[in-house]
Amino acid sequence: MNLTEREREIVAMLRRDPLLGSEALADALGTTRAAVNVHLSNLGKKGVILGRGYVLGEGPSVVVVGGANMDVKARSGQPATAGTSNPGTTTFAPGGVGRNVAENLARLGTRTHLVAAVGADPLGDQVLAATSDAGVRVEHVRRSPHATGTYTAVLDADGELVVAVADMRASDALAPADVDAARDLVAAASLVVLDGNLPTETLAFALDLAAASDVRVVLEPVSVAKAERLAPLLDGTRPVFAITPNRDELAVLGGDVDALHARGVTWVWVRLGAEGSLLSGPTGRHELPAARTDEVVDVTGAGDASLAAFCHALLSGDDEVGAAAYGHAAAALTIASTRTVRRDLTDRLVRRHA
Ligand SMILES: Nc1ncnc2c1ncn2[C@@H]1O[C@H](COP(=O)(O)OP(=O)(O)O)[C@@H](O)[C@H]1O
Ligand SMILES: O=c1[nH]cc([C@@H]2O[C@H](COP(=O)(O)O)[C@@H](O)[C@H]2O)c(=O)[nH]1
């Protein structure tokens, strides 16, 4: 669903207080009742408001198309030494960028559909069950003839990544037809999130499908190697609402923030690890510090949590800068946990931490 900024503000206010009348809405927004009535009528036509009393429909939805894995994370007990065996602890958790974003979104309370692939094997059963239990709609997660993807990471004693290997043949084989099967969901979505795990032709198909329905797209490059799949698609002909590279991925995608704006990207959100991030868009450049963290336990999934939280906050009516700050709070909470996605993540927890 494509809502104007004003409509999103009204929906966010009605979500907080469904009994608000048009006069109270007009006062709060600094506009006239007549203008509010036009917005309410349009929201009715778009199916967001159901009948009298401004009862909200199921709310905005997000379709995430991307990777799904089982993460294997080995953390060294002492500063890691290369070329030898390091005593430490290993944890398993469902992962994959697209899947992580979907799980975070669902836990925050946004209706979320995942388009992905797992193997017909026990790891696939676990990943699928955990994702569904978290509240993600998984009807479009298909079973692949390939094994469920794995991401095997070695973390240093301080929780920072030393090296990782991603084995993701099931996601590599996600085809345009898999996205096409979810075309009605894409057309009705408020946002589509795509990750760089997808093959280039599938990314192109999904971008074009979203553009045809005027649905905003957020792109997460995933890694330097996978950002290369995305680079040729950013040619200025396909609108991209936001992209979330780190410094190294930005270099592969075009060098700098302005180059990406020139190639059709409205918001460029550059991730800077412990230094926070830089958000660049129509309101200028905003440097955002990382939110406070008591302890870095495991950085895995921080970027995915912040992207999901950004989308959730936008759909709740926050502006982009506020949504990014909310994203940082979700990242800080994720870093303090061994899970790739925190099981106790809620909107309330993030708002308290923001
Ligand atoms: N060591 C850290 N200390 C505090 N915050 C961090 C740290 N690492 C990451 N973050 C937070 O998580 C966000 C995303 O992490 P980052 O490592 O930059 O991206 P990615 O996980 O996509 O590689 C950062 O913008 C920051 O808010
Ligand atoms: O090529 C890939 N590498 C890593 C991931 C996933 O990325 C997550 C960790 O990413 P980060 O810490 O950068 O947020 C893990 O869940 C892992 O499964 C992925 O989808 N594709």
Side-chain angles (χ1 to χ4, degrees):
M1 186 104 36
N2 218 17
L3 301 186
T4 64
E5 204 164 309
R6 199 48 133 193
E7 287 168 352
R8 280 201 292 277
E9 279 176 325
I10 292 176
V11 168
M13 290 172 70
L14 287 175
R15 186 155 289 127
R16 282 193 287 271
D17 182 359
L19 297 177
L20 276 179
S22 55
E23 193 164 331
L25 286 166
D27 279 353
L29 295 169
T31 181
T32 62
R33 254 183 91 173
V36 167
N37 282 331
V38 172
H39 295 307
L40 289 172
S41 147
N42 288 337
L43 283 167
K45 284 182 201 143
K46 291 180 182 181
V48 179
I49 288 175
L50 309 175
R52 291 162 68 93
Y54 313 141
V55 179
L56 293 167
E58 274 197 279
S61 65
V62 176
V63 176
V64 182
V65 190
N69 286 337
M70 180 60 83
D71 289 351
V72 184
K73 298 180 285 188
R75 180 171 164 171
S76 180
Q78 302 293 322
T81 309
T84 186
S85 168
N86 292 262
T89 47
T90 299
T91 53
F92 295 77
V97 166
R99 200 216 63 86
N100 294 341
V101 170
E103 179 176 342
N104 278 294
L105 273 164
R107 291 199 181 282
L108 291 170
T110 291
R111 194 154 49 100
T112 305
H113 298 268
L114 177 64
V115 179
V118 295
D121 48 26
L123 282 187
D125 296 345
Q126 282 180 46
V127 170
L128 197 55
T131 309
S132 172
D133 288 351
V136 177
R137 318 243 173 142
V138 296
E139 295 81 3
H140 289 275
V141 178
R142 76 166 169 81
R143 295 288 187 154
S144 165
H146 301 288
T148 297
T150 52
Y151 168 77
T152 308
V154 175
L155 304 170
D156 217 333
D158 61 2
E160 296 287 345
L161 179 66
V162 178
V163 70
V165 173
D167 174 356
M168 299 186 61
R169 274 161 291 174
S171 300
D172 287 339
L174 268 171
D178 297 312
V179 181
D180 199 34
R183 69 161 45 235
D184 292 345
L185 291 174
V186 170
S190 308
L191 271 180
V192 167
V193 178
L194 306 176
D195 83 20
N197 289 309
L198 303 170
T200 304
E201 68 270 21
T202 307
L203 280 166
F205 183 86
L207 280 167
D208 292 340
L209 195 60
S213 296
D214 219 8
V215 178
R216 293 177 293 174
V217 174
V218 179
L219 286 177
E220 162 53 48
V222 173
S223 64
V224 170
K226 292 185 176 174
E228 284 167 11
R229 299 175 174 184
L230 264 178
L233 299 173
L234 300 174
D235 58 4
T237 66
R238 295 183 176 89
V240 172
F241 175 68
I243 194 162
T244 55
N246 62 25
R247 272 199 195 99
D248 297 336
E249 291 155 4
L250 180 63
V252 174
L253 287 171
D256 60 26
V257 164
D258 289 328
L260 284 178
H261 288 316
R263 289 160 64 192
V265 184
T266 308
W267 292 93
V268 182
W269 190 14
V270 186
R271 309 311 184 67
L272 304 171
E275 292 164 45
S277 66
L278 173 84
L279 179 68
S280 171
T283 55
R285 288 194 183 192
H286 311 270
E287 281 175 29
L288 296 153
R292 69 192 149 78
T293 31
D294 299 332
E295 191 195 358
V296 177
V297 174
D298 174 351
V299 293
T300 315
D304 306 339
S306 64
L307 165 54
F310 174 76
C311 295
H312 174 76
L314 280 183
L315 297 178
S316 307
D318 290 7
D319 65 23
E320 284 76 6
V321 177
Y326 178 88
H328 277 304
L333 287 164
T334 303
I335 285 167
S337 144
T338 55
R339 303 276 308 179
T340 303
V341 179
R342 279 179 79 119
R343 278 202 203 133
D344 62 348
L345 192 78
T346 57
D347 178 65
R348 205 187 151 107
L349 181 68
V350 181
R351 298 254 174 231
R352 270 211 312 261
H353 202 82

